[in-house]
Amino acid sequence: MAAGSFEGQYVWSPAADDRALARACMDVRAGRYLSAHEVLRETRDDFEVRAHRSLVLASVAADSDLAERWLAEEPGAEAALLWARVAMLRALRMADAGDRRQGALARIARSACDLAAKELPEDPTPWVAQLALTRLDRPRDPAPQGLLTAPAGPWYLFAHILRLDAWHREAHHRFLSYFFTRYGGSSSASWDVAAFLSQRAPATSPLRLLPLVALVEDYDPTALLADRTWEQHQWITTATSIHRNWFPRVADYRFTPVLDLSYLAHALFMAKREFEAREVFTAMGPFAARMPWSAFGDPAEQLSRARRSCGLPVPHGS
């Protein structure tokens, strides 16, 4: 489907234009795991894609017994990884729902992560799944120098992951989320960590988007002039710098990074930089992510409002 063409509706699938992953998701829904094995096995030398694919597949498999069945029938690194991701998602969902089974599920998830890490020691993905679980038990390692608030957190585990993959995207996002207010952190800590992590990253890295993620997380629609925040000089500078330095690199990605592009397009739109936002929306084509739009209302309505403001078409009836 060509970018900017909306004969149907937005494509909300997290697989986006990764066609092999989309087919594997269909097979997982049908109870088959062979294609899941194939799309994971080919990512053993690309940890970013491995993390993304395993998470998307796990989100599809979490409500079935496919991961357990695969591990029992054909154990291996890929089966263990999907089981770890599924167990992680189940534990986090139970915790978010306040279900008292969360403790037992978290223990299962940690054991699953240990197994996956042993199967492929160089893969940071099982450790990233462990990192996601830290918001349940709240480890309090001391922060390194360079942070104004010196927030305690899972710094030791994060450092271990960085030794495996210094700029791992999901690891940075999982680590930042530990400090979100909704998980027991604070606004000051999340701002501090987002700034610290993004400033360490190369100018061409998508990790430069972390402050924009923290900004959306901290959004309070009842605050005075809340929607004008993105028009402040520091946020215009942040968004335009990312557009100038990271956005041109997207053309070289194996698959469209829809979520990161969504945060960038949103920030540029809110900053009234419609020309730059239009470029980002065009690069996304019909693919869409619910965040950050869902933080401001119905995601489809918010996305269509932004696209119209940039002079771009929207699905019929939006």
Side-chain angles (χ1 to χ4, degrees):
M1 195 178 298
S5 172
F6 286 93
E7 296 178 0
Q9 298 295 318
Y10 295 122
V11 180
W12 298 98
S13 168
D17 54 352
D18 185 343
R19 295 182 179 178
L21 176 58
R23 288 192 296 270
C25 287
M26 292 178 61
D27 283 350
V28 167
R29 291 189 184 94
R32 300 186 294 267
Y33 54 75
L34 178 60
S35 56
H37 177 268
E38 292 172 350
V39 299
L40 289 179
R41 184 174 178 80
E42 73 175 26
T43 63
R44 288 192 178 190
D45 60 350
D46 190 334
F47 295 137
E48 290 295 332
V49 175
R50 188 172 180 83
H52 173 67
R53 283 181 168 181
S54 62
L55 185 59
V56 173
L57 288 167
S59 69
V60 177
D63 294 325
S64 72
D65 68 346
L66 180 135
E68 294 93 326
R69 183 162 49 82
W70 181 9
L71 189 63
E73 294 175 358
E74 296 186 28
E78 281 63 48
L81 178 59
L82 186 67
W83 167 229
R85 293 296 236 169
V86 163
M88 175 203 81
L89 287 180
R90 289 173 181 167
L92 295 179
R93 289 176 183 176
M94 285 296 177
D96 291 341
D99 194 300
R100 55 186 172 185
R101 292 174 292 174
Q102 64 171 297
L105 288 176
R107 287 190 293 273
I108 292 171
R110 291 189 184 96
S111 295
C113 291
D114 288 342
L115 173 62
K118 291 175 183 175
E119 287 283 348
L120 199 64
E122 65 271 24
D123 182 10
T125 318
W127 298 103
V128 175
Q130 289 268 28
L131 185 62
L133 295 168
T134 59
R135 68 175 170 87
L136 306 183
D137 59 357
R138 309 294 300 171
R140 307 285 292 172
D141 309 330
Q145 293 183 347
L147 289 97
L148 295 174
T149 60
W155 290 96
Y156 298 156
L157 176 55
F158 185 54
H160 175 72
I161 295 170
L162 298 190
R163 285 192 290 271
L164 294 171
D165 188 351
W167 308 115
H168 196 283
R169 181 197 175 279
E170 186 185 341
H172 283 75
H173 281 265
R174 293 287 186 186
F175 186 69
L176 174 61
S177 70
Y178 174 94
F179 299 96
F180 288 167
T181 303
R182 58 181 157 138
Y183 297 141
S186 67
S187 293
S188 59
S190 63
W191 286 118
D192 200 7
V193 170
F196 176 75
L197 297 180
S198 66
Q199 289 165 9
R200 288 176 64 252
T204 55
S205 170
L207 298 179
R208 290 284 179 149
L209 286 154
L210 289 170
L212 299 182
V213 175
L215 184 60
V216 170
E217 179 67 23
D218 209 40
Y219 174 71
D220 179 4
T222 66
L224 183 65
L225 301 177
D227 288 352
R228 302 291 296 273
T229 301
W230 284 262
E231 297 178 41
Q232 296 175 11
H233 176 72
Q234 74 174 103
W235 297 116
I236 293 175
T237 300
T238 298
T240 54
S241 176
I242 295 167
H243 176 267
R244 182 174 61 255
N245 295 305
W246 170 69
F247 177 63
R249 299 293 186 96
V250 171
D252 298 326
Y253 277 44
R254 286 181 63 186
F255 309 108
T256 304
V258 177
L259 183 58
D260 287 336
L261 288 171
S262 294
Y263 272 98
L264 177 57
H266 172 265
L268 291 167
F269 161 68
M270 296 292 281
K272 300 190 182 305
R273 303 299 295 256
E274 285 90 352
F275 178 79
E276 292 92 338
R278 180 188 175 97
E279 290 185 329
V280 180
F281 281 128
T282 300
M284 293 167 61
F287 301 109
R290 300 192 184 281
M291 286 296 289
W293 311 105
S294 60
F296 302 83
D298 178 82
E301 292 177 2
Q302 295 296 316
L303 176 55
S304 291
R305 181 172 71 92
R307 287 182 59 90
R308 284 196 198 95
S309 178
C310 296
L312 289 171
V314 300
H316 179 70
S318 293

